[in-house]
Amino acid sequence: MTEANTVRFNEEALSWDSNPSVQLATALAHKAYLARLPPPEILSTYDIMDLGCGTGLLSLALAPSVRSVTAIDAAEGMIAALRSKLEQQPPTPGSNTTPNNDPDNNNSPNPPAPPPPTNIHPIHTLLTSATSPLLHHDPLTHLPTPTPRRFDLIVSHLVLHHIPSLPTFFATIHDCLHPGTGRVMVTDFEDFGPAARQFHPESKMDGVERHGIQEGVMREVLEGAGFVDVKVERAFEMGKEVETEPGSGVLGPAVVFPFLICEGRRAA
């Protein structure tokens, strides 16, 4: 990821979760992943990596379903935001006495928020190698491992359009997976023509390497990196308000953006 991306995402980290498009896209991606992953009894054994995790929205959504999540991002501000979430203390029993809005139960307090998961390990780095010493850590046991860990699944959401070299990116992912069984599953908006450029306002174009991803290109990239059982398909669509005129900063009616999900398995 380029320096321009890192600077931008450091600046936006504190307000990132307040963007409704970010929240909606993450929720839709999470649903798409779960629909394509093994049943709970198998998925619960998975050690996964969320590459380009941002503030951890997807990591936090997936954490209850898997054994562990190694959450990696090149922007220090994003990782700091995730760490802050994971360090939040659960409320003291009986401390939450705010009435709810249930007309049939006006005196009942809102249920306390669940404690943050303990199986997420945030890492601030630009991951370029499967041999990184930062991968010598088990998020569940909090113990070092003698060799870099390999993963059952690597996910990445709304990251690919910021990556200068997709072949290099997927070569690193390939090497971080378990041979024979490890899978990659990534989502990003589709390049469906000139209108796809509208996904970003003009003020945020610095660091955007491509305006979405294309099915044929992604298939070639995954197969070129050594993945087998490659599948690229539309996963969902999402409406997003776009600028009425490029650079105006004024948002108008929503445009529907299709999202692709790209999958592959590392060969034995």
Side-chain angles (χ1 to χ4, degrees):
M1 189 172 289
T2 65
E3 182 178 352
N5 284 312
T6 303
V7 170
R8 173 195 160 189
F9 290 123
N10 278 332
E11 293 174 347
E12 295 186 2
L14 292 179
S15 61
W16 190 252
D17 290 4
S18 65
N19 186 328
S21 293
V22 169
Q23 293 281 354
L24 177 58
T26 304
L28 292 171
H30 177 230
K31 181 179 179 180
Y33 290 152
L34 290 183
R36 292 163 172 81
L37 287 171
E41 60 270 20
I42 298 176
L43 185 58
S44 63
T45 68
Y46 273 28
D47 292 306
I48 75 171
M49 178 194 294
D50 182 2
L51 190 53
C53 65
T55 62
L57 292 173
L58 183 59
S59 294
L60 289 161
L62 287 170
S65 302
V66 300
R67 179 184 179 274
S68 73
V69 182
T70 297
I72 298 177
D73 202 281
E76 187 174 7
M78 291 289 187
I79 290 296
L82 173 55
R83 288 193 176 116
S84 178
K85 296 177 186 179
L86 297 176
E87 292 166 0
Q88 290 179 358
Q89 297 297 316
T92 304
S95 63
N96 189 345
T97 57
T98 304
N100 65 19
N101 295 319
D102 183 353
D104 297 323
N105 194 10
N106 289 327
N107 296 321
S108 175
N110 290 326
T118 58
N119 62 339
I120 299 178
H121 178 52
I123 299 176
H124 166 229
T125 191
L126 177 62
L127 187 68
T128 59
S129 172
T131 62
S132 170
L134 295 174
L135 299 181
H136 289 252
H137 180 95
D138 188 316
L140 197 63
T141 66
H142 304 292
L143 296 175
T145 58
T147 58
R149 299 171 64 240
R150 294 295 175 263
F151 297 87
D152 301 294
L153 173 70
I154 295 180
V155 299
S156 190
H157 174 57
L158 276 174
V159 173
L160 300 183
H161 63 274
H162 292 294
I163 302 300
S165 173
L166 291 178
T168 301
F169 182 74
F170 280 98
T172 300
I173 290 177
H174 180 273
D175 292 346
C176 288
L177 291 166
H178 285 299
T181 59
R183 297 173 62 187
V184 63
M185 190 172 289
V186 299
T187 42
D188 211 327
F189 70 100
E190 184 177 3
D191 178 0
F192 57 93
R197 180 185 175 89
Q198 298 176 91
F199 191 86
H200 295 92
E202 290 298 314
S203 63
K204 296 184 179 181
M205 287 297 180
D206 195 14
V208 175
E209 298 291 334
R210 58 189 62 79
H211 303 296
I213 57 175
Q214 297 176 337
E215 178 182 352
V217 172
M218 292 309 304
R219 191 178 300 278
E220 290 180 5
V221 168
L222 284 163
E223 292 175 348
F227 287 99
V228 297
D229 300 336
V230 171
K231 182 186 298 184
V232 181
E233 62 185 358
R234 283 198 178 178
F236 56 88
E237 294 181 338
M238 186 188 80
K240 184 176 188 290
E241 292 183 340
V242 302
E243 288 183 315
T244 54
E245 296 290 340
S248 69
V250 178
L251 297 181
V255 170
V256 175
F257 291 90
F259 277 66
L260 296 180
I261 188 164
C262 313
E263 306 176 59
R265 176 176 59 84
R266 179 175 176 175

